[in-house]
Amino acid sequence: MDTTGKEISHHGKQGIVQMAKSLILENSNEKVPDSYDARVFANDSSVIVLFDLPIHFAAKNTAFYYGATVDVISKTFSYSPIVNTKIQMDAYEHLPFYKPSKEDMKTIEFVVGGTTSFKKHRETLSARNESITVIETDTLYRVQVISQSQSSQYNVDKRTGIPSEHRHRHIKTESLSEQGYLEIIK
């Protein structure tokens, strides 16, 4: 018997999130950290769980997932990797999920505006459905800010903290809500 989105929706958001975490662990042998934001969307044939951490810092020689998506009905998966290494990697190798260290948090605070805490940046980004990715190079940090309607990029000098080379473009993405999914909040 096929399971429908309506049937799974009766488990509530927390129950569905736990199902999705179990499926990801089974699929990738990697555990989604509890610190990741989870959003659940459903229609008659799909229940999609999005796991995300809105701030990511890719130090040199690192590779990790900063997000994952799973449809708990079809058991299909999508992982969001960042690879900041010159080492060749197997495309089928699963990566660990990103967990920011205290040093990462300090670096992010330095890069995106020294007076605001990592926690406050994260809350603001989550509320606005935006994300920031900071990628370390030898001399600078490449920063990318993405929202549903815009992508911005700039560089920050590692020594001075001075930003340069600002670029942005308008983009149009269609949210799951705009595609007919209902968000399960409780």
Side-chain angles (χ1 to χ4, degrees):
M1 180 174 134
D2 289 338
T3 305
T4 66
K6 194 175 271 190
E7 292 168 340
I8 288 182
S9 295
H10 291 295
H11 291 277
K13 180 179 179 178
Q14 290 307 316
I16 295 168
V17 167
Q18 289 309 314
M19 280 185 234
K21 283 184 172 187
S22 295
L23 289 169
I24 288 172
L25 180 61
E26 188 179 299
N27 176 260
S28 70
N29 207 27
E30 296 293 335
K31 184 178 181 215
V32 177
D34 291 333
S35 59
Y36 278 49
D37 295 337
R39 296 183 71 193
V40 179
F41 294 86
N43 66 15
D44 289 338
S45 59
S46 297
V47 176
I48 297 173
V49 182
L50 307 167
F51 293 101
D52 183 38
L53 192 60
I55 301 177
H56 339 105
F57 171 61
K60 290 189 307 183
N61 301 314
T62 61
F64 54 82
Y65 292 136
Y66 64 86
T69 303
V70 60
D71 183 332
V72 294
I73 293 177
S74 66
K75 294 181 177 56
T76 53
F77 304 88
S78 174
Y79 298 94
S80 304
I82 290 180
V83 178
N84 189 14
T85 179
K86 294 177 183 172
I87 298 171
Q88 186 68 29
M89 300 186 74
D90 180 351
Y92 296 101
E93 175 183 348
H94 280 286
L95 304 171
F97 280 91
Y98 176 65
K99 295 177 199 164
S101 68
K102 288 185 184 212
E103 191 61 39
D104 289 354
M105 290 182 209
K106 286 180 184 176
T107 301
I108 290 166
E109 289 169 2
F110 169 76
V111 171
V112 296
T115 60
T116 305
S117 72
F118 177 88
K119 181 180 177 190
K120 189 66 178 165
H121 279 300
R122 180 186 169 157
E123 290 169 358
T124 302
L125 290 167
S126 289
R128 295 191 325 215
N129 284 332
E130 293 180 343
S131 67
I132 291 179
T133 302
V134 178
I135 299 175
E136 181 182 31
T137 70
D138 289 335
T139 59
L140 55 86
Y141 298 108
R142 285 184 289 142
V143 182
Q144 182 172 26
V145 181
I146 296 183
S147 70
Q148 193 169 350
S149 62
Q150 185 169 290
S151 171
S152 301
Q153 295 179 358
Y154 60 95
N155 297 327
V156 174
D157 185 282
K158 285 175 82 168
R159 290 177 294 112
T160 66
I162 296 173
S164 65
E165 297 185 40
H166 293 265
R167 307 173 286 293
H168 78 273
R169 65 185 172 107
H170 294 279
I171 56 176
K172 176 63 178 140
T173 58
E174 191 173 52
S175 70
L176 288 172
S177 297
E178 292 171 325
Q179 296 176 38
Y181 287 83
L182 295 174
E183 184 169 6
I184 298 173
I185 298 172
K186 295 183 180 190

